Amino acid sequence: MLPNKKALEIIRKYMKIYNGKNEKDIKERLIKELKEEHVLVETEDGTYTLKAEDEEEMMHSKVGALKEAIYKFAKPSKITDLSNPRVLDLCSGMGYNAIAALHYNKNAEIDMVEICEEVLFLTLFLDIPYKEHEIIKDKVREYFLNKIGIEYKSDYDNINLYVGDARKFIIKSDKKYNVVFHDAFSPKRDPTLYTYDFLKEIYKRMEDNGVLISYSSAIPFRSALVDCGFVISEKESVGRKRGITLAYKNPNFKPNRINEVDERVIALSVIALPYRDETLSLTKDKIIEDREERREKLKEKLIKIGKYLSTKQIKKGNIPEEILKIQKEDLNSSEIIKKMRLKFFKDANIFIL
Ligand SMILES: C[S@@+](CC[C@H](N)C(=O)[O-])C[C@H]1O[C@@H](n2cnc3c(N)ncnc32)[C@H](O)[C@@H]1O
């Protein structure tokens, strides 16, 4: 899914007349037009975000675009403590997460990946109250000036900008990251970047001490992370009841466990079935449709072998005692989930076969 169509149309008009010298002039007109069309929205911390293609969703929550970048991504990643931070900033948008990362660690090397040129262009005209915004703007300026044949070299070699589908980027990348910001639109509207297959590619490109962070707590997403080998954990979120997800590569790490109800649902319910995209090329509709079909088949199979449990009963903890008591063990959430699956289904990988 992309940002709002009307917004992109307006931004494109200004991209056509951009020459590097007319930023001031474009700024006034572009921002005014986007606001008049109600597609550029001020959030509670005074920073701006865009509506999504599906107008039910925005690129950030109303608590604040910058606030989200700080409290859902930069701070939970503990980037300040890293001596050699290498960040993969998926779905960079207007660059809020990259700006926050640089603010908390000026040594961060960041690969920004964004499919939509228009949102990157927009950042040139926003006022984001961290000086690191100038670094991101300079990099974006370099991209757009070079595109129209004007030579310009940004001073910031620690930032790389890739404009394209994150799925194509990840298979070509030979780098290793210790922080991954995963900031796609919600999986129920666009699961493209939440599939087991995409997450597995990220897993391979992470350092052993690496962490992937997402604001999403969706069950099929967390389940896919467990199947990929991540240790899943959660932290309180700003502006949302459900917590953000942290996924660690180190299998022996014992971070905070996710809540017990989610652990059971991920372990035992058919709603935990991950999205799949083996060729990393399917459309979002095909990915959703394919999962629906597999889910129906799995449900039938489990009913046949007497292993089907409804999500409602799983949530209530109305499951065999010997499975329930696994949650009392001193293990991390991923170990608990795998152990419950192994004991109940006799197969820890039942959801990715
Ligand atoms: C929730 S917004 C991210 C906001 C962003 N992190 C920021 O700081 O402004 C999701 C972004 O994902 C981008 N996107 C959607 N599909 C993508 C894909 N397959 N690869 C890369 N970016 C994608 C959208 O264009 C949009 O900018």
Side-chain angles (χ1 to χ4, degrees):
M1 187 163 81
L2 289 176
N4 181 271
K5 274 207 177 86
K6 182 76 206 170
L8 300 189
E9 238 173 65
I10 296 171
I11 298 170
R12 235 172 271 137
K13 234 172 44 187
Y14 291 93
M15 276 165 64
K16 282 194 191 131
I17 60 162
Y18 179 68
N19 61 19
K21 294 190 189 125
N22 54 357
E23 275 185 23
K24 262 197 182 149
D25 174 45
I26 290 181
K27 179 172 174 169
E28 210 170 290
R29 290 156 58 200
L30 171 62
I31 300 299
K32 185 164 173 266
E33 213 174 314
L34 290 171
K35 281 186 183 167
E36 278 170 2
E37 288 294 335
H38 306 288
V39 287
L40 183 70
V41 182
E42 186 173 1
T43 62
E44 285 167 18
D45 69 359
T47 57
Y48 282 84
T49 192
L50 281 181
K51 282 190 178 158
E53 200 168 5
D54 179 329
E55 295 206 9
E56 297 285 297
E57 192 161 330
M58 293 204 296
M59 283 179 64
H60 300 86
S61 70
K62 63 179 184 350
V63 294
L66 182 60
K67 192 169 180 183
E68 249 192 345
I70 298 167
Y71 292 101
K72 293 188 184 169
F73 292 95
K75 277 186 181 270
S77 74
K78 298 207 161 71
I79 193 162
T80 317
D81 305 339
L82 298 178
S83 55
N84 188 12
R86 281 179 306 277
V87 181
L88 174 58
D89 178 31
L90 294 172
C91 303
S92 305
M94 281 90 84
Y96 284 101
N97 298 343
I99 293 165
L102 284 169
H103 184 77
Y104 286 97
N105 194 325
K106 65 177 174 21
N107 298 322
E109 270 176 42
I110 310 179
D111 283 352
M112 298 171 68
V113 187
E114 168 58 54
I115 202 167
C116 175
E117 278 189 331
E118 290 86 343
V119 282
L120 291 167
F121 183 72
L122 177 61
T123 203
L124 292 175
F125 309 98
L126 293 178
D127 295 313
I128 300 175
Y130 273 179
K131 65 177 190 319
E132 292 77 13
H133 186 203
E134 290 309 319
I135 300 177
I136 301 305
K137 281 211 271 196
D138 200 49
K139 214 61 207 184
V140 170
R141 200 171 281 129
E142 176 185 73
Y143 171 82
F144 283 101
L145 289 178
N146 291 347
K147 201 179 163 203
I148 54 171
I150 298 176
E151 233 177 88
Y152 181 78
K153 174 87 181 74
S154 157
D155 292 336
Y156 304 104
D157 290 334
N158 54 327
I159 314 293
N160 296 302
L161 182 58
Y162 298 92
V163 182
D165 190 327
R167 294 176 295 179
K168 299 281 170 290
F169 171 82
I170 203 75
I171 30 187
K172 282 198 202 132
S173 168
D174 53 6
K175 289 199 194 161
K176 288 249 176 165
Y177 303 95
N178 43 25
V179 173
V180 179
F181 295 150
H182 183 289
D183 197 9
F185 284 119
S186 69
K188 75 169 191 266
R189 295 205 175 80
D190 185 356
T192 314
L193 302 184
Y194 292 90
T195 65
Y196 163 79
D197 310 273
F198 177 66
L199 297 168
K200 189 82 196 177
E201 292 302 321
I202 297 179
Y203 181 87
K204 289 185 209 160
R205 285 157 189 83
M206 282 174 65
E207 299 279 4
D208 293 345
N209 67 347
V211 62
L212 172 149
I213 303 184
S214 165
Y215 69 86
S216 175
S217 59
I219 297 290
F221 169 50
R222 286 185 169 176
S223 177
L225 290 168
V226 174
D227 286 329
C228 287
F230 284 104
V231 175
I232 57 168
S233 174
E234 70 185 356
K235 270 206 165 75
E236 246 177 50
S237 179
V238 281
R240 272 175 103 237
K241 245 198 254 148
R242 288 178 63 82
I244 60 166
T245 300
L246 294 105
Y248 297 91
K249 181 147 182 185
N250 178 355
N252 303 316
F253 192 45
K254 246 167 77 189
N256 286 345
R257 277 171 54 187
I258 62 166
N259 70 78
E260 289 204 349
V261 174
D262 277 17
E263 258 177 19
R264 286 200 292 279
V265 172
I266 295 170
L268 304 170
S269 167
V270 291
I271 70 166
L273 195 67
Y275 294 99
R276 296 298 309 262
D277 176 14
E278 278 174 76
T279 55
L280 293 182
S281 63
L282 298 179
T283 62
K284 68 178 168 52
D285 295 332
K286 182 80 185 99
I287 294 171
I288 293 170
E289 192 187 301
D290 163 72
R291 177 170 172 274
E292 280 311 305
E293 276 171 23
R294 282 183 297 111
R295 194 172 125 173
E296 274 313 305
K297 280 196 192 131
L298 178 65
K299 184 173 171 182
E300 275 169 30
K301 176 179 151 189
L302 294 180
I303 291 174
K304 222 185 218 170
I305 59 171
K307 291 279 177 190
Y308 177 75
L309 299 170
S310 76
T311 306
K312 205 168 161 188
Q313 81 183 101
I314 295 168
K315 281 187 175 168
K316 280 190 187 152
N318 194 0
I319 61 174
E321 192 51 40
E322 82 264 22
I323 308 296
L324 195 60
K325 83 176 186 230
I326 294 173
Q327 290 195 288
K328 301 260 177 293
E329 294 184 31
D330 184 23
L331 300 168
N332 65 44
S333 282
S334 294
E335 288 167 332
I336 286 181
I337 289 164
K338 285 189 207 145
K339 198 163 177 181
M340 288 173 99
R341 284 179 183 167
L342 187 62
K343 186 128 189 146
F344 188 65
F345 299 118
K346 310 272 174 277
D347 184 356
N349 298 318
I350 182 143
F351 292 156
I352 43 157
L353 297 176

